[in-house]
Amino acid sequence: SREARITKTGPASASITPMTVDLCGPAGHFGNVTLPAITTQRNGTDVVVTNQLVAIIDHEALKTFIQALILDGVLLSLRNGKTSIAAFGIGPRNIVYEKEIPLPGMNGPAVSMHAAGLVPNALAPGAVAESPSTASLGGVTRSPTMASILSISGGNTVSVVFQVTNPSPLEISFGTCSFDIQDHQGKLLAELKGRLDIRRGQFEITFRGSVNKAAVAKLASDMRAAASGRSRTVKGANRLPQARLVGKRCAGAGWCDETIKRLDMPLQNAEILFRALGIDDKTA
């Protein structure tokens, strides 16, 4: 789906017939899409197209386009659009439409922890989550992806609300995805699962899963030591203690799964998870 506004088309209205255009990114032509008929107006024309099918002809070029979009931004080129225009009662005249559209990137996107709370592994009828602030998040259903960490987590299961900021005008729905929370050394802190729909602006997503409390406590201790100046770093390496949100898998199309695995974002406000687990980040 897309929303656009056409401007600088002159003082008279004009009719543009439907056309199929090539979608091109950094790695070349990745798909085709058909744009609907448009009638322009002198003060600008809004164009809203929903649920439009895009024919993908090169999956590698598509992945390159999406990955660039998630990071710094990308240039989308519309090419070889064969259409006709009629205005002032003259025409239609055949033209070839081409347009380059710079698209700002998502810058990661930026992710911070907004809320977290322990929940029972098995909810009895009428039971609620232990933390009042996350009671509405409900229970957790164990999945095979949680098995590896459940054996060392001591049964600690959490619901986590992330706040995501997307400065790009583009939105992407990945569907159900799995993410790890890791520390600065790649040690696994938590395995989470939830639906990831990246929307414009600032929004929240809720993931649920299992957490290794001992590993989280170690990160809290390392972060406190770094803040007090008592930690040592490896020369030439950035080893500042921090949590990261790392993509692992996606239940959607192949390009979704491969793109999710490229996501590796610093996670702000990890102290919220510390407190949800009863770990005092100031004294851990």
Side-chain angles (χ1 to χ4, degrees), residues 8 15 21 31-32 43 69 82 86 93-94 97 113 125 127 137 150 160 172 175 180 185 188 193 200 217 259 268 281:
K8 300 180 180 179
S15 298
V21 298
N32 299 321
N43 294 321
L69 174 65
K82 296 179 175 57
R93 298 291 177 84
N94 294 331
Y97 176 83
M113 195 169 291
L137 298 179
L150 277 174
V160 181
I172 303 177
D180 287 350
Q185 297 177 324
L188 183 63
K193 189 175 184 179
R200 288 173 289 183
T259 301
Q268 306 299 321
D281 55 289

Side-chain angles (χ1 to χ4, degrees), residues 191-205:
E191 286 182 329
L192 304 174
K193 189 175 184 179
R195 184 173 180 85
L196 178 61
D197 295 319
I198 300 180
R199 301 191 297 274
R200 288 173 289 183
Q202 195 170 77
F203 60 96
E204 293 181 353
I205 54 176

Side-chain angles (χ1 to χ4, degrees), residues 66 70 109 141 143-146 160 162 172-181 190-198 203 205-210 245-263 265:
I66 295 294
I70 289 175
T141 301
S143 70
T145 62
M146 299 180 186
V160 181
F162 296 110
I172 303 177
S173 177
F174 285 98
T176 301
C177 299
S178 298
F179 281 81
D180 287 350
I181 298 180
E191 286 182 329
L192 304 174
K193 189 175 184 179
R195 184 173 180 85
L196 178 61
D197 295 319
I198 300 180
F203 60 96
I205 54 176
T206 300
F207 284 176
R208 300 179 177 90
S210 296
L245 189 64
V246 181
K248 302 304 291 184
R249 60 193 65 86
C250 177
W255 69 265
C256 293
D257 186 59
E258 295 180 35
T259 301
I260 281 293
K261 293 174 183 177
R262 297 289 186 94
L263 296 184
M265 303 160 288

Side-chain angles (χ1 to χ4, degrees), residues 30-84:
F30 63 83
N32 299 321
V33 66
T34 299
L35 302 179
I38 300 170
T39 299
T40 66
Q41 306 297 327
R42 63 179 300 173
N43 294 321
T45 305
D46 292 323
V47 179
V48 179
V49 183
T50 59
N51 299 325
Q52 192 170 27
L53 184 66
V54 178
I56 303 302
I57 65 170
D58 187 328
H59 285 81
E60 291 302 318
L62 172 67
K63 287 187 293 183
T64 299
F65 174 80
I66 295 294
Q67 288 159 7
L69 174 65
I70 289 175
L71 296 176
D72 302 324
V74 67
L75 183 67
L76 172 63
S77 298
L78 307 181
R79 298 177 182 169
N80 300 321
K82 296 179 175 57
T83 184
S84 62

Side-chain angles (χ1 to χ4, degrees), residues 16 81 84 107 150 154 221 223:
I16 306 174
S84 62
N107 295 337
L150 277 174
S221 177
M223 291 176 65

Side-chain angles (χ1 to χ4, degrees), residues 14 17 32 49 83 91 114 123 131 142 156 159 206 213 226 245 278 283:
T17 59
N32 299 321
V49 183
T83 184
H114 182 68
L123 286 177
S131 169
R142 294 186 183 183
N156 290 311
S159 284
T206 300
K213 185 175 180 179
L245 189 64
T283 61

